[in-house]
Amino acid sequence: MLAKKGQPILIAGPCSAETEEQVMATAHGLKALGKIDLFRAGIWKPRTRPGSFEGMGAVALPWLQRVKAETGLPTAIEVATPRHVEEALRHGIDVLWIGARTTVNPFAVQELADALAGTGVPVMVKNPVNPDVALWAGALERMERAGITDLAAIHRGFSTFAPSRYRNAPTWILPIELKTRFPHIPLICDPSHIGGRRDLLLPIAQKALDLDYDGLIIESHPDPDHALSDAEQQVTPVRLGEILNALQYRGNASDSSEEFINHAEELRQKMDVADREIVEALARRMALVEELAEYKRENNVKILQLDRWQEIFNTRQEWASRLHVNEKFVGELYKLIHLESIRKQTEVLNGRPVDGPTHLGPGL
């Protein structure tokens, strides 16, 4: 059911199943779009703090049975305990997903894997709340070891203390890394939880499709403003249809003309040459760093030189601006180069290897 296909997997439904009428209105509205593959709804909704709406629980499961009977749409819910799994399967739920708060806990994931072993039910695994690819990968591996072969990963963004326009920072590099580790597992984007706002759904969904994601999961409600949970990020089925119609579905290079493929390959070869030159330049720089460290050691000079680091950081960004390269990107790149330089100098001055980049602060 979750296997990769020619078109993106489209999953939609309310954040929470609130009433039978609300669930059925949403389901019929989504069915009318003719594009939705899977109906999702939150049944158990433990919130960060108690006191807010925490879902209807098992009483709502028959409502999803009715959704499937009347619309033909398969259904999906989140499970967090073996008891949830048992209840969901007893009511014929087609797909289960593991939430971000559960993925972060290997003990809980293993309990779910044990409960799911031998069931054959498709499972989707959301990324953990914190930006940790290893936890995400570990949860998928636990499912695979339990014999779950119909798997998908859901990218719903990551918590961050940094100011952000997003509810959960997308940190796109992490799902891309997961995709390289598990190319056989579909990767689905959750623009609702990443954006946290209706106006961000379309750009996030488009970005995901441009990055070759295999599907989207978007929250929909017949009356979003009065939803009992996550009202700001839900849209009506009609609005969801408008968003889906506005998306551009771009093809793969393999679908393009021979002329495009040949020119793309030529450009990639040139990028390979440029990358080799970048690595060679880094090697030359690190050789100079090592030489400088020897000179400092001989003259009993400390590693950290704040004025020098500030000069490097500022001038490199100025050079980037003049060459029409993103200044922020170059600034972040030089922070990494600086950390490696510190590590190398520390090795030379102390006469022993240092594992990984040190975090001693600025200054060369």
Side-chain angles (χ1 to χ4, degrees), residues 18 36 42 84 103 135 143 146 180 248 263 290 310 318 320 325-326 346 360:
E18 301 166 0
I36 304 305
H84 291 168
T103 306
L135 279 173
M143 293 298 124
T180 62
Q248 297 184 48
H263 185 54
E290 212 165 327
Q310 204 61 52
E318 289 172 9
V325 178
N326 186 290
T346 303
L360 299 178

Side-chain angles (χ1 to χ4, degrees), residues 312-334:
I312 289 174
F313 189 73
N314 292 334
T315 56
R316 276 46 170 183
Q317 290 192 108
E318 289 172 9
W319 298 348
S321 178
R322 288 199 291 269
L323 292 169
H324 306 292
V325 178
N326 186 290
E327 293 176 53
K328 185 177 179 181
F329 163 70
V330 170
E332 293 300 316
L333 176 63
Y334 265 89

Side-chain angles (χ1 to χ4, degrees), residues 66-245:
R66 184 181 165 196
V67 166
K68 187 174 180 179
E70 292 189 16
T71 69
L73 289 172
T75 57
I77 67 168
E78 177 180 350
V79 292
T81 70
R83 182 180 65 81
H84 291 168
V85 172
E86 181 183 346
E87 290 273 12
L89 296 182
R90 189 162 61 84
H91 286 84
I93 302 299
D94 298 284
V95 177
L96 307 179
W97 82 79
I98 298 173
R101 290 178 175 84
T102 306
T103 306
V104 79
N105 184 345
F107 292 103
V109 172
Q110 188 59 56
E111 286 188 352
L112 288 173
D114 293 340
L116 289 162
T119 64
V121 66
V123 176
M124 302 184 291
V125 179
K126 287 197 172 187
N127 65 254
V129 174
N130 49 308
D132 189 332
V133 174
L135 279 173
W136 198 3
L140 289 167
E141 289 166 348
R142 290 177 190 277
M143 293 298 124
E144 287 185 322
R145 290 187 179 187
I148 306 298
T149 57
D150 200 352
L151 275 172
I154 298 178
H155 171 216
R156 50 81 77 193
F158 303 89
S159 293
T160 176
F161 292 110
S164 174
R165 64 189 296 223
Y166 302 104
R167 176 181 175 182
N168 295 293
T171 319
W172 297 100
I173 190 63
L174 298 184
I176 290 172
E177 182 181 340
L178 187 86
K179 194 176 178 72
T180 62
R181 294 193 197 183
F182 300 90
H184 60 292
I185 294 180
L187 179 61
I188 296 170
C189 182
D190 182 348
S192 303
H193 282 89
I194 291 175
R197 301 192 336 238
R198 296 175 196 129
D199 61 307
L200 293 177
L201 296 179
L202 177 56
I204 294 170
Q206 186 63 64
K207 171 86 169 182
L209 293 181
D210 291 345
L211 290 173
D212 197 28
Y213 278 55
D214 301 290
L216 302 169
I217 178 169
I218 300 177
E219 292 184 345
S220 181
H221 191 290
D223 186 10
D225 287 335
H226 295 94
L228 297 182
S229 58
D230 292 346
E232 297 83 1
Q233 66 193 40
Q234 300 190 70
V235 292
T236 65
V238 171
R239 176 56 188 150
L240 177 59
E242 294 170 350
I243 291 171
L244 296 178
N245 288 334

